[in-house]
Amino acid sequence: MQGAPDQGGPAGGGSSNGEDVAGRVAVRREQLGMSREELATRAGMSTAYLRQVEELGSGFDAAALKRVAHVLGVSYEELTSGSRQAPPGRGGPAARPVLQRLSEGECWERLGTHGIGRVAHTTGTGEEAPVLVPVNFLVDGRTVVYRTDQAGAAAVAPGTRLAFETDFVDEENRLGWSVLVTGTAEPITDTAATEALGRRPGGEPWAGGRRELWVRVVPGEVSGRTIRSLPPAADHGPRPTG
C-alpha cells in the first residue's frame, strides 16, 4: 500500500536530509543485492513513490520511510541520521580538500592536555603483528603519558620503540587533523609523580580498574597533518601539498 505524506512535514518540499537518506538507502540496497523495484514492492509502495521518499527524506512520509528501514534491516534513526556508532569519515571528503603538514608546535597545540589516542608497538620478534590499542593520555611537558595494566596490551618494557597517534574529524565541515608521536617507552616509577598524574583531568582510565603502570612516550619525532577545505574563491592555481 502506498503511504501518504506526513502531515507534520513540509508540504511538497524537500528535506535537508533527503540526499543523505537516498545515499544510505542506495548503499544498503547494494549491500543486500536488492533492486529499487524489489525494495519498493516489499515496502508496499510504487517505485516512483519510493524515489520520492528517498529524495525528500523523513519530513515527507515518516511512516513509509520506517517501512523502508524495516525491509533494509536498519533502524529508522540510522537511515535518517546515520549510525551513531559508525567510525568518522563516512560523509566523504570536501569538494576542494587541502592536506598540509603541521609544525611540531602546532602538533602539541592540538594534543592539548589530555584525550584519547592509540599506542602501537611490536614485540620485536618479527613473528607477530604490531599491537595497536586505544589509551587515554595526558600531555606532560613535551611528552605523552598513559596508564595501563601491568599485563595489558599497552604495557611495554623500558626502551621499547613505540608510536602514539590521535586525531580529530569534523564531519560537518569536512576537516580534521592527526598527530603522530614516535619515540621510546619510559615507565614512570616515582610514586609522587604517578599520583599527581592520576589526579589530573583525564588521569582516570576509561577502561576502569587499577591500571597501575604509567608509561611515558619520550618523543623522537613529532609530526602531524591537517585537512581543510579550500574556499571556492581560492580554487585557482596550484594547491599546497603535504
Side-chain angles (χ1 to χ4, degrees), residues 86-100:
R90 286 190 150 192
R96 294 167 295 277
V98 177
L99 179 66
Q100 293 181 309

Side-chain angles (χ1 to χ4, degrees), residues 70-94:
H70 176 74
V71 173
L72 294 175
V74 298
S75 69
Y76 174 78
E77 289 73 19
E78 182 174 350
L79 201 59
T80 56
S81 304
S83 174
R84 295 183 179 180
Q85 298 187 34
R90 286 190 150 192

Side-chain angles (χ1 to χ4, degrees), residues 65-125:
L65 194 55
K66 288 178 181 178
R67 298 202 303 274
V68 171
H70 176 74
V71 173
L72 294 175
V74 298
S75 69
Y76 174 78
E77 289 73 19
E78 182 174 350
L79 201 59
T80 56
S81 304
S83 174
R84 295 183 179 180
Q85 298 187 34
R90 286 190 150 192
R96 294 167 295 277
V98 177
L99 179 66
Q100 293 181 309
R101 294 183 183 275
L102 296 172
S103 68
E104 183 171 339
E106 291 172 327
C107 289
W108 288 111
E109 287 176 5
R110 282 163 174 76
L111 287 176
T113 59
H114 63 284
I116 301 293
R118 288 154 289 279
V119 168
H121 65 90
T122 61
T123 61
T125 64

Side-chain angles (χ1 to χ4, degrees), residues 121-144:
H121 65 90
T122 61
T123 61
T125 64
E127 297 179 356
E128 297 183 14
V131 175
L132 178 64
V133 290
V135 295
N136 53 299
F137 71 92
L138 303 176
V139 172
D140 190 39
R142 278 295 191 258
T143 67
V144 171

Side-chain angles (χ1 to χ4, degrees), residues 11 14 33 43 114-115 131 141 148 155 166 193 199 202 217 237 241:
H114 63 284
V131 175
T148 187
T166 189
R199 291 192 295 268
V217 183
T241 58

